[in-house]
Amino acid sequence: MSSDWRAEIVECGDLVQDDDEVTPPGEAERRWNRYVDLADSVNGSEGSSGVAAIVSSLRAEEDYGAYQAAHAALGRFPHSDLGQGVADASRELLSIPQDQSGNVLLILIRSGPAAVKSFNEAIRAADPDVRVSVRELVEFHESEEWLSEGHAKNVLLTPRA
């Protein structure tokens, strides 16, 4: 996919929320539908930059079911691309709603050892402040719902600063 696809999925991922009194309902529906179409078009060949774009797109508090298409799309990537892409989007992972970051991390873990290894190796190259923040995010999700199950704890071994 082109860089236009990556920019468009990030833009469309900022879904119109119920309290938006400016955006016409038709435009909100168009963006929702376009987002789902873009996510559904992913075949996994988009590389780690495609993963990073999807993670970056998960910005809305309420997704009205649209992000299910994005979560399914993440599952179509080769595991090494998934891990690398999530690490590449680590700054965005820190800024998206916590339910979304938790879901992304759980998808990463459930994808298996190759995805986790790729993420763990890539995150080591991240800015030290980002590594610390990602570690804190992982620890938060390990203490809460998303990564609190035994099989999901202590899997993402982001290095401590």
Side-chain angles (χ1 to χ4, degrees):
M1 299 254 175
S2 70
S3 61
D4 292 343
W5 171 86
R6 290 188 287 279
E8 188 177 5
I9 198 164
V10 171
E11 179 183 332
C12 288
D14 192 15
L15 300 167
V16 177
Q17 302 295 283
D18 285 338
D19 61 354
D20 183 324
E21 297 176 4
V22 177
T23 307
E27 174 61 13
E29 182 178 353
R30 184 200 69 76
R31 286 200 336 223
W32 189 95
N33 287 330
R34 182 63 181 151
Y35 183 83
V36 172
D37 288 346
L38 288 166
D40 284 346
S41 73
V42 168
N43 63 24
S45 68
E46 297 81 5
S48 60
S49 64
V51 172
I54 292 170
V55 171
S56 299
S57 77
L58 303 172
R59 299 180 296 163
E61 284 292 331
E62 295 295 329
D63 67 289
Y64 314 106
Y67 290 168
Q68 290 175 350
H71 299 152
L74 290 174
R76 292 192 287 274
F77 284 90
H79 296 164
S80 60
D81 286 347
L82 178 63
Q84 179 71 50
V86 172
D88 290 348
S90 56
R91 288 186 191 277
E92 291 79 8
L93 189 67
L94 297 167
S95 66
I96 64 177
Q98 286 183 330
D99 275 350
Q100 294 306 322
S101 64
N103 206 343
V104 167
L105 293 172
L106 187 59
I107 290 167
L108 177 66
I109 289 170
R110 287 184 175 166
S111 294
V116 169
K117 180 181 180 198
S118 177
F119 173 82
N120 287 341
E121 288 175 355
I123 203 69
R124 286 186 185 99
D127 177 85
D129 291 336
V130 171
R131 280 196 316 260
V132 168
S133 295
V134 170
R135 166 47 74 190
E136 290 169 354
L137 180 67
V138 167
E139 288 173 349
F140 168 79
H141 286 304
E142 287 177 344
S143 70
E144 297 295 325
E145 176 180 352
W146 287 104
L147 304 179
S148 63
E149 297 291 321
H151 72 279
K153 284 190 172 185
N154 299 315
V155 175
L156 298 176
L157 305 175
T158 55
R160 297 186 192 274

